[in-house]
Structures are given as C-alpha cells and as structure tokens.
Amino acid sequence: MAKIAFILLCHKDPDAIILQAQQLTAVGDCISIHYDARAPKEGYDRIRREFADNPNVTFARRRIKCGWGEWSLVQATLYAVEAAVKAFPRATHFYMVSGDCMAIKSAAYAHRFLDDDDVDYIESVDFFEGDWIKTGMKEERLIYRHFFNERTQKRIFYWSFWTQRKLGLTRAVPSDLQIMIGSQWWCLRRRTIEAILDLLAKRRDIVRFFRTTWIPDETFFQTLVRHLVPESEIRNRTLTFLMFTDYGMPVTFYNDHFDLLLGQDFLFARKISPDAKELKKRLGRLYASGRDDFKVSNEGRNLFSFLTGRGRIGRRFAPRFWETETSLGRERELLIVACKKWHVAKRLVGSIKHSTNIPSIDYLFNEESTALPDLGGIQTTIAKRHRHRRALMRMLFDYYETDRLLICLDTASIDLMQDFFSDRSTVRLLEIECEFSDEYLIGHAQRVGLAGEMTGRETLQQLLPTIRYDVVFESDQIRDAHFANHLRIRQTASVEENIPPVSEFLSVGEDVARTIVETPYLFSD
C-alpha cells in the first residue's frame, strides 16, 4: 500500500506548519520539512521541539535562505528529499507541498489513487516548443548564467544579463538533456527519486548548469524525470489543484470553496487563504477522515474561466474582485513612511532595505516612475493605482511573497492613509517631520506648478506663507486622524530621540534602528 513522504518547503507561521504536519502524519504518512533560514530561528526550534519524538517527521539536514527564482529552492528541496529517503525507507511516494497546500481528499483515497497506477505525476512540457512561458525571458533563462535575484537585486540582475548578452557570453544546454518545464508540485515514486539522487552524484555538470539557470524549480525535476523515466510511466499533470488569474497570480481559496475543492480530480489544493479559518479546519479533518465517497466533477478551472470571462466590459453580473474584496489580509502588516520631502524618505527607506529584509517601494501612489513589477496593467498609471489601491497592494504582497511590506506616501495622501488604516490588516505609520527653508518651499512650488522659473521674487514671497501653511496643515490632518501605531521622527530631534520610534515601527532592535537613524545626510537637501 502507498505510503507518502511529503516534502514541505515553508518559511512562516510555525503554528500552521505544526498543525499541517500533524494532520498529514496522523494516519501513518511522513513529512520532511525545510524551514527557510530567512525565517526566525525561534519558529524553527519550536517546530523541532514539537516533533522531537515523532518518527514520522524529519528535517532537511541544512536550512538555507531561499529566494524566488533561485537555485536555493531546488537545493532546499533536495536537502528535504535526501532526509526523507534516509528517514523513511518504507515511503513509496514523495509528494511536494508548501505551507499554503492542504489535502482535498482523504488519505485512504490518496493511497488507493496512487496504488491504482504505478506512475510518476509531474507536469512537464518541452521548454522551447510548449507554451508554458507566456511572457518575459525564455531561452535566456538557460543560455545565460544568472547569479542574482531578479526580485531583490533587479538592477544588478539585468546588468549581468545585458552584459552577457552584449559580449555574447552564452553557454550550451547539456547535450543529452531535453529541457522540460512545468509546475513544481510533483508526486514521484521512490525509485524515481533514488534515480535522480544517483544521477546527481555522478553528473555534477547537471547541478552546475541548473545552479545558474533562472527559475530552476520549474525545470530541474521536470527535466530529470523525463531523462530517467519511460514516458509510459509519467502522467503529465500535477496532483495539486491550483489556478492563476489574468494577472498571473495564484487564485486563493476561501471558506465557501469547500465543496468546489472536494469535487476536483486532485489530492491537494493551493493556495488556501490564511483568513479561511473554517475551510482550513474542515480540510484539516478531511485527510484522516477515511472518507471515500468523493464525487469528482472537475469543473473548477472551466467554472473559473467562465466566471472571470463574464467580468469583461459589457458582460458583468457582479462587482470586480477589487470592488468586493476589502482587505489586504488580516495577518499582513503594511508599513507607511510619510514625508513631504521625498528624497529624505527615500534615503531612510534605502537604509531600511540595507538593514532589514522588508520589501520596500517608494512613492508608488505619488510618482509615476516608481519601479513596480508587471501586475497585468493595474500598476501602469497613478490613476489605476489609486482606483484599485487595495487590489494593487494585495498583489504586491503576493508578488514579494511576504506578510510585511513598506511603502512611502506624501503627507498630502491622507485619503490613502485613512483607507489603509480602515483595513483589517495591521498598519503602521512613521511620519518624518522636516524643516522647510524658504528656498526649499520655492523649489517645491516650482515642481508642482505653482510657480515658474520666471516668477518674480515678490510673488514668491506672497506664496511662501500659504505653501508653508499647507505643509503644516497636512501634518495636522495626520495627527487629527488619531491613527493607531502613528510614530514620528523629527529633523530637530537627536539620534537618541529618533531611535525608539524607528525601532517600534520596524519591530527591530535598537542597534538596527540606530544604524537606520544615523543614515548619513538623511535630512540634507
């Protein structure tokens, strides 16, 4: 009878990971966990203590820092796989899951399903001839070496790429490998996993090649399985039910999707919303329930395509998702730096990026040229960003795969602050109070079109009191709003006075806060 060893890659919420592992091992299956080294060690230690005496739980021999699109995701998977092979000699199948996955069938159903067909389940299509990659890099993922992360090191990532391209520094794909691509959520038999590990021990050139490809978790196992296993023993599909929106973002499932999920011809589903408490409770009980009466209709993807297809101009029957969904996510934290002097806020945020791992974006609602990822067009203009502000923020949280995100706002953006503070998420505001010289205010008037280069000095002197009052009025508006978690640092305050609010705002120690507050020339014009 099938015995599954789950390969779990996770990076947050230790309590949820503990519960997930307990549910999946309750009926005799096993789990091997890799907990991202970027996550706090206390959480990892709590998970290890919880399962110290559980023989059905093991851990990857090394924790490494994982980044989207990097080799690190494959390496973490291999560490977890190696640990599972060693710890669970009776495991017949190895099933890749994440912390956002949950079973939508019982263990009894899953075991019988795997016993009925002695095959591997992995989605894999030809890299060059398939249509898996819709936009962006394709061949360039393979023929150039990628040493940097496109999301966290965008500038140097593209500098390296264009330099190699300009100099013609391409490389050949290993001649005996047909590169395949597909979903990273696979279920492989033990002999396939062992064959992969044996191959890698003999062929270090394969590891060297994939180590510097871009997004190798979509190509590594997909290619090696096709290289090692006869086509008749491969089912070109994943057993994990997942869908993507028009924006290329994973569809998230909520409490009212329980019946829909159980009707799909899959064993697991992702992503389950952290806010879907009732759904998670019902699915958590399902795996050990012994149920075997599932009625598979498998209409999920067609139904989703139909419903979203009707949400086009002239065919709407319900509000858009960004008009009905009103929360960024209850467990998310939005950090707002508000400052009239944009260059001061950008300096501070630059220092925050250097000292923490919090994804940060400059004045995205105030500055058209703010660098943003491609989110399907919703990010293209300031007007669109304002109109769909919460949808944009949710997509940015998902894009950076984070529960903490920092943005900058002009102090005039009181409407945005009020909107975000009314959300169910945690919102913190750090206001930077600056001194404003007459010269700066005159420059500000020219930048916003209140004055031109030929405006006379007398006219400017008449404008200055009004402009200065507007700046003070914006700060007073923020203060009068009585926002929770509203903190301030001041140009006129000492370093020691500014450290506590920065420390509280970022939830960091005073040493880190001091480094940020002592940013050279922070308030210089």
Side-chain angles (χ1 to χ4, degrees), residues 78 81-82 85 192-202 228:
L78 289 173
V81 165
E82 290 167 355
V85 168
T192 302
I193 287 291
E194 291 176 342
I196 290 173
L197 296 179
D198 289 343
L199 178 66
L200 296 180
K202 300 172 185 174
L228 295 167

Side-chain angles (χ1 to χ4, degrees), residues 144 161-169:
Y144 298 109
F161 165 65
W162 285 109
T163 298
Q164 293 180 68
R165 185 167 181 169
K166 184 175 181 180
L167 298 177
L169 300 177

